[in-house]
Amino acid sequence: MNPNPTPPIRSPYRKRRRLIGDRGGHFLSRVEGATAANISACYQCERCTNACPVAHFMDIKPHQVMRFTQLGWREELLASTTVWVCLSCEMCTTYCPNEVHVAEVILHLRAMASRSTETPKEIVLAEFHETFLRELQRFGRVNEFWLMAALGLRPGVARAKMASGDWKKEIALGWTLLRKGRLRPIPHRCRAMRGIRRLYRRRRREGA
Ligand code: SF4
Ligand code: SF4
């Protein structure tokens, strides 16, 4: 008998337990229903990924997002960098030969990720997303001065900027923009505030 047995190799692709409610068909039809995207029609030609300007920074490429959705791999999608890195430029949707609304699906997954308990892989981008929506709800339009100030005060962002030293560069840049009149510290409220808040309330009810 071998006194030093070789330890078993742990595969990085070990299957994870999946929730019954998120098995393939169920998750797929839920996302298709919410986005009106015909994800089932995707045949993995990869044109969406080739057209995407930031695919290089994504851990799950746009065509893989479609495949993962077909398979119901919800956890992997919500924990990906892709949902935060996407610019919503819609190049993927434009180039898809099957008219699959890829960008709409990624946007929907981002909204799901922001409501989930999963820690986002891209903390700064996730915080930016949250802060942007909050500022929009406050003023009805985004004021760059208040957006950057609110973002810089978010704990995750403040920690990351202190660690990288980026805060010095940002303060210098903000001061330059302020002197040149490119930043407006006094925010203007949009006249359609009531309608915007109503939209937010409706989205919250639908997301609950
Ligand atoms: S919408 Fe997102 S996924 Fe599609 S091409 Fe633009 S960045 Fe890439
Ligand atoms: S371009 Fe369309 S059909 Fe091709 S992989 Fe992307 S979503 Fe699927």
Side-chain angles (χ1 to χ4, degrees):
M1 197 173 145
N2 185 357
N4 300 314
T6 317
I9 298 167
R10 290 175 76 88
S11 165
Y13 303 107
R14 207 158 32 105
K15 277 197 179 150
R16 287 173 55 187
R17 189 175 70 87
R18 300 190 194 290
L19 301 175
I20 289 173
D22 291 324
R23 279 180 195 264
H26 181 83
F27 182 64
L28 173 65
S29 52
R30 223 161 25 116
V31 178
E32 282 189 332
T35 59
N38 188 8
I39 303 164
S40 318
C42 170
Y43 51 35
Q44 295 294 290
C45 69
E46 297 190 27
R47 281 190 75 179
C48 49
T49 297
N50 292 334
C52 175
V54 289
H56 180 67
F57 301 101
M58 296 173 169
D59 51 359
I60 301 176
K61 311 293 179 202
H63 72 283
Q64 293 173 322
V65 170
M66 296 302 108
R67 191 71 188 122
F68 279 32
T69 310
Q70 288 171 344
L71 294 169
W73 291 7
R74 177 182 178 275
E75 281 78 17
E76 284 81 351
L77 287 167
L78 300 194
S80 68
T81 59
T82 307
V83 293
W84 303 110
V85 166
C86 171
L87 306 168
S88 304
C89 67
E90 304 216 351
M91 290 293 279
C92 47
T93 305
T94 309
Y95 277 85
C96 176
N98 278 339
E99 298 182 1
V100 180
H101 296 267
V102 185
E104 192 63 37
V105 172
I106 297 178
L107 208 56
H108 179 70
L109 293 172
R110 179 187 294 170
M112 285 179 80
S114 68
R115 289 196 300 267
S116 81
T117 51
E118 189 78 49
T119 307
K121 256 196 203 158
E122 294 287 339
I123 299 235
V124 175
L125 291 177
E127 294 279 20
F128 179 83
H129 172 72
E130 272 301 307
T131 314
F132 186 94
L133 291 178
R134 262 193 221 160
E135 289 302 300
L136 198 62
Q137 188 178 8
R138 217 147 64 105
F139 301 121
R141 59 174 65 137
V142 173
N143 175 295
E144 290 86 356
F145 181 86
W146 287 98
L147 174 68
M148 294 320 288
L151 182 66
L153 292 174
R154 304 278 292 187
V157 179
R159 261 197 304 276
K161 288 198 178 174
M162 292 298 248
S164 65
D166 280 353
W167 64 276
K168 288 183 205 158
K169 279 187 239 159
E170 289 193 8
I171 287 180
L173 179 67
W175 178 240
T176 309
L177 291 172
L178 204 59
R179 271 191 301 129
K180 293 188 183 235
R182 304 308 295 257
L183 284 181
R184 295 207 179 101
I186 299 169
H188 291 283
R189 242 174 239 275
C190 172
R191 267 187 276 166
M193 275 312 296
R194 269 189 183 186
I196 290 170
R197 291 210 170 125
R198 211 175 308 126
L199 267 177
Y200 269 84
R201 276 199 297 276
R202 203 171 77 200
R203 290 301 297 165
R204 263 201 296 274
R205 272 201 303 276
E206 284 171 4

